[in-house]
Amino acid sequence: MKNILWYLNPIVHLGDKKYSSLFPFITTIVCTALIECYFNVILKQPESVGLAAIFIYIALIIYFSFREGIRGGIITSIITILYYIYIIHTRHYTGAQFKSGVNTTVILGLLYFLLSVVIGWLKETIDSLIEREANEKKRLHTVIQQLPVGVVITDNTGKVLQANKKIHEIVGLKVPIGFKFGEKKLIDFKAVGKDHVPEIEPINQTLTTGISINGKEYTMKRKDGKIKHLQVNTAIIHNRSGEVIAVAAIINDITQQKEMEERKDDFVNMASHELKTPITSIKLFIDVLQRHLQKVNDAQGTKILENINKQTERLQTLVNDLLDVSRLQTGKLTFTKEIFRIDELIEEIIATIQSTIKKQVLTFAEKHKISVYADRFRIYQVLTNLIDNAAKYSKEGKEIIVRLSKKDTNAIVSVQDFGIGIAQDQQKKIFERLYQVNDIKEKTFPGFGMGLYISKEIINRHNGSIWVDSEKNKGSIFYFTLPSRKI
Ligand code: ADP
C-alpha cells in the first residue's frame, strides 16, 4: 500500500524524465468507463454527468501533466474531449442544448490543452533543472574521487559529507560520511612550524578559528603507527547569507618528498664532513709549501700557490656553507654567545676583506661603540657574506659602505653597494635556501644561493631581523639588527 501511494505521488517523480503515455491513457479510459457506468447504470441519470465530469477531468489533467509532462496532459485532454463528444451524441442533444454542449466542449477543450501545456512545461523544466544539477554533482563527485590529492568536505560541525579515495589511502582507514576527525582519536595531527596549534586537526582548526589554512605542513600519526607528512589547504564555504555551511580540505601527501629531502640532507651532511678533513690537510700542506718557496725565493711558484690557496679557500667556504645549511635543516646549528663590541668586529672584518679585494674601497662610515650579546663567529660570518656579496655584485672602483647605528635597544648594521641591485619581486626570495636571481641579461655570478639563507637563519636565531633595500642597477643596502647590550 505504502509503495502504491509512493508510486502515485507526482512529487516523487520530479527529476525523472522517463515520461509514460500508457499510464495516463489507461487510467483516463478506466476513469471514463467508471464515470459512465456510475451515472448511466447505477444512478440512471446519464444527463447529470456534466459538472462531475468537468471536475474529475480537470483533476486528472493537472495530475498527469504534473506527473508525465505535456504528453501526459494532452493524452488525458484528448480522451476527455472524445468523451464529451460521446455524451453529446449518446444523450441525443438537439437545438440549443446541442449548441451549448458543443460550445462547452470547445471552450473546455481549449482550457484543458492550455492547462496540459503550462503545467507539463513547468514539470519538464523542473525535471531538466534537477537533472542538470544532478549531472553537475555527479561530474564534480567523479572529479573529486579521481584527484591525486586527498579531498574532504565537511559540514559546519566537522562531519564528513564527502571524502575521496586518496583520503582513505592517506588516513589509512575508511572515512565514512558523518565521520568526525576530532571526535574519535584515530589519527594524531601535529602541525609543523612555529604557528602550530597542537593536537588540533586542520578541519576543526578552520571551523573554530574561522581562518583558512594555506599550505601548512602537518605530521600525522595513523592508527597503524605510520607517520605521514601532509601539506594542508582548507577553505571555508559560506552560503548567500554569509553563514558557514561547509569546509573543504585538500590534503597532499608529501611523505615521499620529505623522506627524499631527508636522505638528500643526510648525504650533503655526510659528503661535506668527508670533504672537510682533506681540505684542512691541503691547507696545511699549502702553508708548508709556501714557507718553503719563500725560503728558496721562487716567485713564480709562490704566485701559483697563492692561486691554489685562493681556490682552496673558496672550496672550504662552500663546504662550510653546505655543512651549515644541513645543520640548519636538522636543527643542529648551535651558538656560543658572548658580549662583544660589534664596531670592533666590523673594523676587523673590513681590514681583513680589504686586504683580499682590490677592486672596491670599503669604508666604515658611521661608527658607534655598541655591544651585542651574540655568537661572534656567526656574526663575523654574516657580515663577511654581506660584504663579499657587495663586492661580487658591484663593479670595479665602486665604494662599499658599512654603517653601524642604534635604534631603541637594537644595533643596526648596514652594508651598502652601488652594484647591479635586486628587483623588487626578488628581494624576499633571495633569503630562501638555494635561491639565486637568474637574470639572463646579466652575466652569471658564481655562487650557490646559500649565504643569505644562512645569514637570515643566524640573525633570526639571535632575535634580530635582516632585510634589503634595493633598486635595480643602482645598488643595494642590506640591513640586519641585533639586540644590543650594555657593557
Ligand atoms: P650567492 O652565493 O649566490 O651569492 P647568496 O645567498 O649570498 O648566494 O645570495 C643570493 C642571491 O641574492 C644571489 O645569487 C644574488 O642574485 C642576490 N644578491 C645577494 N647580494 C646581492 C647584492 N649585494 N647585489 C645584488 N644581488 C645580490
Side-chain angles (χ1 to χ4, degrees):
M1 185 65 187
K2 214 174 153 189
N3 273 352
I4 294 173
L5 285 178
W6 179 86
Y7 179 76
L8 292 176
N9 184 0
I11 310 266
V12 174
H13 299 272
L14 278 175
D16 182 1
K17 287 186 92 177
K18 273 185 253 142
Y19 305 127
S20 160
S21 303
L22 200 65
F23 183 54
F25 179 77
I26 292 175
T27 315
T28 316
I29 298 268
V30 170
C31 284
T32 307
L34 288 175
I35 292 167
E36 183 63 12
C37 193
Y38 179 75
F39 284 99
N40 224 347
V41 182
I42 300 173
L43 271 189
K44 296 204 189 313
Q45 290 174 348
E47 59 287 346
S48 53
V49 70
L51 204 61
I54 290 172
F55 286 117
I56 290 170
Y57 284 114
I58 284 182
L60 280 175
I61 288 163
I62 292 174
Y63 175 75
F64 282 117
S65 41
F66 194 65
R67 194 180 191 278
E68 309 296 346
I70 297 176
R71 203 170 356 140
I74 298 278
I75 289 169
T76 313
S77 302
I78 291 172
I79 297 169
T80 310
I81 292 161
L82 289 175
Y83 179 53
Y84 285 175
I85 295 168
Y86 170 79
I87 291 173
I88 294 169
H89 178 71
T90 52
R91 305 316 190 248
H92 306 293
Y93 288 164
T94 51
Q97 213 181 10
F98 175 80
K99 222 173 161 185
S100 127
V102 171
N103 280 345
T104 314
T105 304
V106 171
I107 291 165
L108 282 178
L110 286 173
L111 184 76
Y112 291 164
F113 279 124
L114 193 72
L115 256 181
S116 307
V117 171
V118 171
I119 297 175
W121 174 80
L122 258 176
K123 145 85 177 165
E124 287 177 19
T125 310
I126 293 171
D127 287 344
S128 296
L129 286 175
I130 292 175
E131 190 185 51
R132 203 185 321 158
E133 205 177 300
N135 288 346
E136 204 62 53
K137 251 190 183 164
K138 219 173 182 171
R139 253 199 303 269
L140 195 69
H141 181 80
T142 316
V143 171
I144 288 175
Q145 284 303 320
Q146 298 307 322
L147 279 176
V149 288
V151 178
V152 190
I153 299 169
T154 71
D155 65 9
N156 58 2
T157 64
K159 276 193 186 144
V160 171
L161 297 172
Q162 195 179 348
N164 70 351
K165 280 189 220 150
K166 192 73 189 174
I167 275 293
H168 307 315
E169 214 180 290
I170 293 172
V171 173
L173 46 97
K174 188 115 185 76
V175 181
I177 297 197
F179 180 89
K180 217 171 165 183
F181 279 101
E183 210 167 56
K184 297 166 196 157
K185 264 239 152 283
L186 296 174
I187 313 150
D188 271 345
F189 276 93
K190 265 199 184 72
V192 186
K194 278 181 246 160
D195 56 339
H196 78 267
V197 182
E199 303 295 326
I200 295 184
E201 54 75 32
I203 294 171
N204 277 335
Q205 190 187 323
T206 308
L207 278 170
T208 43
T209 59
I211 303 165
S212 302
I213 295 170
N214 212 343
K216 197 151 133 186
E217 286 185 15
Y218 287 83
T219 56
M220 176 189 75
K221 193 170 178 205
R222 297 194 334 191
K223 210 183 164 207
D224 59 9
K226 272 194 188 148
I227 304 281
K228 288 258 169 199
H229 297 274
L230 309 174
Q231 193 182 43
V232 180
N233 284 287
T234 59
I236 303 169
I237 303 166
H238 297 97
N239 65 8
R240 281 189 185 181
S241 43
E243 290 156 12
V244 175
I245 48 162
V247 169
I250 295 170
I251 300 171
N252 203 357
D253 186 357
I254 51 166
T255 312
Q256 264 190 355
Q257 204 178 314
K258 280 270 158 193
E259 283 170 359
M260 213 144 90
E261 260 174 43
E262 262 167 41
R263 275 204 297 274
K264 205 172 67 196
D265 286 342
D266 284 350
F267 171 77
V268 171
N269 195 11
M270 198 181 68
S272 21
H273 263 296
E274 290 299 315
L275 283 168
K276 233 183 139 169
T277 330
I279 292 173
T280 318
S281 307
I282 293 171
K283 286 275 293 168
L284 276 174
F285 288 127
I286 289 173
D287 262 3
V288 175
L289 201 56
Q290 212 160 22
R291 257 176 275 142
H292 172 74
L293 289 176
Q294 271 161 5
K295 233 189 243 167
V296 295
N297 253 342
D298 182 347
Q300 203 191 354
T302 311
K303 200 152 189 254
I304 294 171
L305 202 61
E306 248 173 43
N307 281 333
I308 297 175
N309 195 27
K310 232 185 241 165
Q311 296 307 323
T312 315
E313 269 169 5
R314 273 192 67 192
L315 196 63
Q316 201 169 27
T317 316
L318 172 68
V319 169
N320 285 339
D321 277 358
L322 275 172
L323 261 176
D324 283 347
V325 169
S326 106
R327 282 189 194 122
L328 281 168
Q329 290 306 114
T330 49
K332 283 182 191 147
L333 193 77
T334 51
F335 299 104
T336 319
K337 293 186 185 175
E338 58 183 310
I339 296 176
F340 64 91
R341 286 266 301 276
I342 190 152
D343 50 306
E344 286 173 1
L345 181 72
I346 295 172
E347 298 236 45
E348 187 188 320
I349 294 170
I350 288 182
T352 317
I353 298 182
Q354 188 67 84
S355 65
T356 58
I357 54 167
K358 307 276 181 266
K359 292 190 294 177
Q360 290 101 342
V361 182
L362 285 176
T363 37
F364 190 4
E366 284 171 28
K367 297 180 195 177
H368 293 96
K369 285 182 187 164
I370 300 172
S371 290
V372 292
Y373 179 64
D375 186 320
R376 199 173 193 279
F377 169 72
R378 292 294 173 190
I379 302 306
Y380 183 101
Q381 189 182 350
V382 172
L383 249 168
T384 311
N385 177 45
L386 295 183
I387 300 175
D388 277 347
N389 275 350
K392 186 159 82 175
Y393 298 106
S394 54
K395 287 201 188 98
E396 211 164 308
K398 297 271 181 192
E399 203 183 359
I400 296 166
I401 309 166
V402 184
R403 293 184 180 88
L404 173 66
S405 59
K406 199 173 168 188
K407 194 172 182 231
D408 305 326
T409 53
N410 281 324
I412 306 173
V413 182
S414 69
V415 178
Q416 181 173 19
D417 67 61
F418 301 90
I420 61 167
I422 305 153
Q424 191 72 32
D425 60 328
Q426 309 276 337
Q427 289 179 12
K428 269 216 169 93
K429 292 185 188 157
I430 54 170
F431 294 98
E432 286 169 14
R433 187 162 66 129
L434 304 182
Y435 190 85
Q436 282 190 298
V437 178
N438 254 337
D439 198 334
I440 21 168
K441 277 185 261 157
E442 287 161 11
K443 71 182 177 88
T444 357
F445 293 89
F448 287 92
M450 288 187 287
L452 286 181
Y453 166 71
I454 298 170
S455 301
K456 184 195 77 182
E457 292 296 322
I458 291 174
I459 296 298
N460 282 352
R461 281 161 211 223
H462 278 84
N463 296 325
S465 44
I466 185 165
W467 71 98
V468 65
D469 248 356
S470 184
E471 206 178 315
K472 200 89 187 118
N473 302 321
K474 290 232 166 103
S476 319
I477 313 178
F478 280 84
Y479 296 89
F480 71 85
T481 64
L482 283 174
S484 63
R485 282 285 169 101
K486 282 201 181 91
I487 311 164

